[in-house]
Each structure stands twice: as structure tokens, then as C-alpha cells.
Amino acid sequence: MKRINYHKSILSATLIGAALCIGGCNDDFTETNQSKDSVVTADPTYLFAQAVLEFEPSSYMLWFANAPGFYYTLQTAVPSGSITDNVIEGSERQDIQSISVLNYVNALKYERSQMTEEKSAQYEGVAAAMDVLSVYLGIYDTDICGDIPFTEAANARYGGTLTPKYDRVKDLYDLWLTMLDNAIQTFTNSSNQIDLGTQDVIYNGDWSKWAKLANSMKLKIAARLIFQDYSHAESIVQEVVSASCGILDGEEDDFLFHKADANNSSNDYVFHWNNTTLWYSGTHASQPLINFMLENQDPRVRFIYEKNDWNSKVIDYFLANDRKSDIPSFILENVETETVDGVETFKAWKGLGEPWVRYYGLPVAYNAQAYASLYGEWFNYSTNTLAEGKTFRPYSRYQEEMLRGRNDFTLPTACLPVFIIPIPKAMNSTNSRFSSTNQKMPNFLFPNRQDMVLKR
């Protein structure tokens, strides 16, 4: 019995000592054990920062699935296999993007409901800015999906429904115009507002610029009402023009912002995404649109589309190897040659010359790929343009680096080494708007790197 009591005493003493140690740690070392960089008290402005981070008007699925369908219907693009019945069968769509921001809109509403009336009033500007973001995404959603859940969406955790109703587009336009007008009033008239500061990577808490954005967004709705209710659209434009807050006017007002400097495995905020979109679906430039842009020397052709693979070096290769007949005829029409030492070589481009002469679109003829005698040079080019294991694309693709930042550039030559082309100093300067150190750099325009690597 004494032995049992002895062990009980030891156990009791051990438990008491452990409790004292744990209690002492909680009472005396809380601040010491807490990292100075850890967030221990949440601030409602963090909800805004997260909403901005997840703000994405055109997700990967839009460019992968929806955009090709839009472009085919408008005949501004043609599939690499030509236009067939598949073009009108439809495709998947991106998720409803406004949900991403509405989650935080409703979270902020809840947080404000727990505050005093005076404290809650200080967050009117933050709430108004989040409303502007949700309206922006809502416009995109209705363009693709038509009616969408909005007024009852993303609110189940705060007592709302798990089956939100679908709001009609017409009703949403009226609602969004009201939301934007209310936001403008808040931005221009409310005082004693919380300073968002660095939590706002868009305008750094400048409410006057947020007011301009909200006012300008009303024009997006007006544009969608022109053929539905012209008089209403006209009245919206008049309101926008006469508003004292003004509209987006100039580089400093642009709705462009740099989301992140570091990437993680689940959200590719820095580079947008790495997978191909329009390329993978075989969506390329259409002949009518490219020809129209070239005839008018529209500079946008260089930013929307890529040149084809047939540069002067490639043409020289085919000429030197007695394969002139393998050069697509529509490309050869723009080539001037000369004979040097008995060998026909490239001399110069005809017509407009570089860069215009390297842009070609695919014919919009139905099932053109099946008619090799008429369209084989566009659609069956891989069968007769192989050189050293390479295939040379005769038409223009979309510029995917406008959508995703991580994209190597392949130099289309028959036998050349690797080249490094540095970004011009004007774009790499700290004074440049698109400098890697400038927080206004849009994350979808340029790769986040100092050199663009061109691979063989």
C-alpha cells in the first residue's frame, strides 16, 4: 500500500509541476513567444486586401473555353482545324467571378454589424470600394452567363440561403448603377474614413480615384444598353460626363495594379498562370481581321498577334535547299529574291515590309481543311515545311504573353544558336511605368524577369 501511495505522490507532483510550467508560459511569455511579424489581431481592411488579391475578371477558363467561342462566332478567330460544326456547339465556361469578391463584401458587412455605429461609419469607403469591385466582376459574369446569383449570393454563413436566387440582368444593371452612384457619394462626401494605405494596391486609398473608377464603370453598363434602351444609355452617359468627380483620365488613373512578387503552388498571382490557353485550343487569327488591320496599318496587330514563323532566315534556308515550292505561295508573294553565286537568296520584303508582312490570318471558309487544293498551305502546312525536324507556322497566333507571364519565346530559324535579347532600358528603368520595382506594373503584360530567353 505504501508503494502505491508513493507512486501516486510522484504522479501528483509531476502533474502540478507541469501545470505550473504551462501556466507560467501562458502568463509570462506570451509576447516573447509570439513572432513580431505574426498577425494576432485581424483588421477589417485585410478583407479588402484579400478581395483585391482574388479579383479576377477573366480567369483561366475564360481564355481557355469562352474566348475561343466568342472569337469564332465573331469570325475574328479561326480554329487551327478550320471552322466546322464544333464551333457552334458551345463549351465550358468560367465560374461566376463576382463570388470571389462578394465573399468579402458580406464578411465586411458582418464585421461592421458588430461595431458601434460611429466605428462602422469609418468603413463606408472600404465597403464602397469593394462594391465597385463586385460590380465590375458582375458585369463580366452577366456578359457570359446572363442571369446570375448576386443579391443573395455568398451569404449563407451569415444567415443567408444556400440556394440564392438568380437575378435578372436588367434588374442587376439598375442595381449596379445605384451601387455605383452610392459609392461615388461615399468617396466624395464621407469624412473620417479608415485609411487603407498599402492595403489598397490599386489606388493606395485615394478615394478621388475610386470615384473616377466608379463613374467610368457606369459607361460599361451604358454600352450594354445601347440596343436595349438607347434613351437610358444616353442619360447614363450624360450623368457620367456631368459628374463632378470626373472619369478615368490619364495614366495615373488607370485601373492597373501589381498583385504580388512571390508565387505559391495554388494561386499563380505573379504570372497569372503558366498553362497555354488560346494556343492549346488552336485559336488563331482570322484572315479578314488581319487583312483589315494591315490595310489600315493598325499598330495593335503587333500586340494582339504573333508574327508567323517565316522570317528571312527561314526563307533563305528553303531557297538554299532547292525547296522554294514548299514556301507558302501567299508568303512568297511578299518576298523579293536575288541570285548570289548562283544561289537564289532572300533580298527584301515587298509591300509594307517588316513587321506588317509577317502577319497572316486563317481563311474563314467552312471546313476549309478538307479542301487541300485551295487551303492546304494554311491548314496542312506541317506535311511539307519540315526542316531539321521543325515545322514553320505560316499564320499568326495570339500573343499569349498578354495573358500569362511565364512564356519562353522560340526564335523560328533553321539552324541558329540560343539568343538572349535584353529588355530595353526604357522598360527596365525605375522611372518606367512598367518597371519591375513599380507597383503599377500590370501582372499580365510582361514576364517578371530581366531577360526574355529565345530558344532554338
Side-chain angles (χ1 to χ4, degrees):
M1 182 64 69
K2 287 183 179 181
R3 185 178 180 83
I4 294 174
N5 288 337
Y6 173 74
H7 284 291
K8 284 185 176 180
S9 298
I10 292 177
L11 179 60
S12 299
T14 301
L15 292 174
I16 292 171
L20 289 173
C21 289
I22 294 172
C25 184
N26 285 337
D27 293 339
D28 302 328
F29 299 102
T30 301
E31 297 297 328
T32 302
N33 292 338
Q34 181 65 55
S35 169
K36 63 183 180 62
D37 296 324
S38 297
V39 177
V40 294
T41 303
D43 188 283
T45 59
Y46 300 166
L47 294 172
F48 175 83
Q50 189 65 29
V52 171
L53 187 62
E54 297 190 21
F55 175 87
E56 176 56 80
S58 49
S59 71
Y60 178 82
M61 282 304 297
L62 175 108
W63 292 106
F64 184 82
N66 297 124
F70 298 155
Y71 298 157
Y72 298 155
T73 303
L74 295 170
Q75 294 194 349
T76 57
V78 174
S80 56
S82 72
I83 295 176
T84 63
D85 291 342
N86 293 336
V87 169
I88 59 174
E89 289 180 356
S91 62
E92 298 178 80
R93 62 166 175 80
Q94 70 170 350
D95 294 330
I96 297 175
Q97 299 301 97
S98 53
I99 295 292
S100 301
V101 172
L102 286 173
N103 281 325
Y104 300 100
V105 168
N106 291 326
L108 181 61
K109 287 180 181 177
Y110 173 78
E111 293 297 328
R112 292 180 67 194
S113 71
Q114 306 302 304
M115 301 176 185
T116 64
E117 185 175 346
E118 181 181 2
K119 181 70 172 177
S120 175
Q122 295 178 344
Y123 287 90
E124 289 177 351
V126 178
M130 292 173 75
D131 281 344
V132 171
L133 295 178
S134 66
V135 170
Y136 194 105
L137 294 180
I139 293 173
Y140 267 77
D141 290 338
T142 52
D143 284 347
I144 297 173
C145 306
D147 300 344
I148 60 169
F150 189 87
T151 55
E152 295 181 357
N155 202 31
R157 73 180 69 179
Y158 308 112
T161 178
L162 287 170
T163 55
K165 69 175 182 178
Y166 274 70
D167 299 297
R168 301 301 298 267
V169 175
K170 182 180 183 302
D171 296 335
L172 287 173
Y173 284 170
D174 292 338
L175 171 65
W176 292 337
L177 288 169
T178 300
M179 290 173 64
L180 292 173
D181 284 336
N182 291 341
I184 293 169
Q185 289 296 318
T186 298
F187 296 142
T188 55
N189 297 327
S190 295
S191 58
N192 194 29
Q193 293 297 293
I194 291 293
D195 181 12
L196 279 173
T198 56
Q199 299 296 334
D200 177 9
V201 297
I202 303 174
Y203 291 129
N204 200 37
D206 187 337
W207 299 125
S208 65
K209 292 182 178 180
W210 276 102
K212 288 183 178 182
L213 174 62
N215 193 39
S216 300
M217 281 174 53
K218 293 171 64 175
L219 295 175
K220 294 174 73 69
I221 297 176
R224 287 157 173 78
L225 290 173
I226 287 177
F227 296 106
Q228 302 294 326
D229 190 342
Y230 183 84
S231 61
H232 190 195
E234 187 177 32
S235 67
I236 294 171
V237 174
Q238 291 173 348
E239 290 176 6
V240 170
V241 172
S242 61
S244 59
C245 64
I247 59 174
L248 299 179
D249 182 24
E251 189 175 279
E252 294 304 316
D253 292 339
D254 283 350
F255 185 39
L256 297 174
F257 56 96
H258 181 47
K259 274 191 176 183
D261 292 308
N263 180 50
N264 61 49
S265 60
S266 58
N267 293 306
D268 202 352
Y269 293 123
V270 176
F271 300 102
H272 216 183
W273 50 72
N274 190 35
N275 293 335
T276 59
T277 54
L278 295 171
W279 288 358
Y280 185 86
S281 61
T283 303
H284 307 299
S286 75
Q287 195 175 78
L289 181 58
I290 287 287
N291 290 349
F292 177 81
M293 298 181 81
L294 294 180
E295 289 168 6
N296 293 277
Q297 295 188 45
D298 190 330
R300 290 174 295 182
V301 72
R302 301 173 62 186
F303 301 97
I304 300 174
Y305 304 105
E306 284 188 343
K307 296 178 182 180
N308 71 358
D309 289 340
W310 287 84
N311 59 29
S312 60
K313 299 295 184 183
V314 173
I315 291 173
D316 253 344
Y317 177 91
F318 278 82
L319 292 174
N321 286 274
D322 197 26
R323 297 185 58 185
K324 184 176 181 178
S325 61
D326 287 338
I327 302 174
S329 60
F330 57 90
I331 293 176
L332 198 58
E333 289 174 359
N334 287 314
V335 174
E336 181 180 349
T337 65
E338 62 181 349
T339 301
V340 179
D341 297 329
V343 178
E344 187 175 17
T345 61
F346 176 91
K347 180 180 180 181
W349 292 109
K350 296 178 182 179
L352 294 174
E354 282 273 19
W356 314 99
V357 76
R358 297 274 304 283
Y359 294 97
Y360 296 91
L362 289 170
V364 296
Y366 177 77
N367 203 23
Q369 188 179 32
Y371 301 95
S373 60
L374 294 176
Y375 303 109
E377 292 182 317
W378 281 279
F379 297 101
N380 303 321
Y381 65 92
S382 62
T383 61
N384 63 351
T385 60
L386 294 177
E388 296 186 357
K390 292 188 175 184
T391 302
F392 299 97
R393 175 177 41 80
Y395 53 81
S396 297
R397 298 189 301 187
Y398 281 88
Q399 290 273 22
E400 285 247 333
E401 60 268 23
M402 296 294 283
L403 305 177
R404 55 192 179 96
R406 286 183 293 179
N407 186 25
D408 289 336
F409 299 75
T410 301
L411 185 66
T413 56
C415 49
L416 286 180
V418 173
F419 286 86
I420 302 290
I421 297 183
I423 293 176
K425 290 183 178 179
M427 286 189 178
N428 202 28
S429 166
T430 54
N431 294 324
S432 169
R433 182 160 184 244
F434 298 117
S435 163
S436 59
T437 58
N438 190 319
Q439 291 301 301
K440 283 285 185 178
M441 181 180 123
N443 69 326
F444 54 83
L445 281 182
F446 297 112
N448 193 11
R449 56 198 297 179
Q450 295 302 305
D451 294 292
M452 294 184 290
V453 180
L454 307 190
K455 297 181 176 179
R456 178 181 173 183

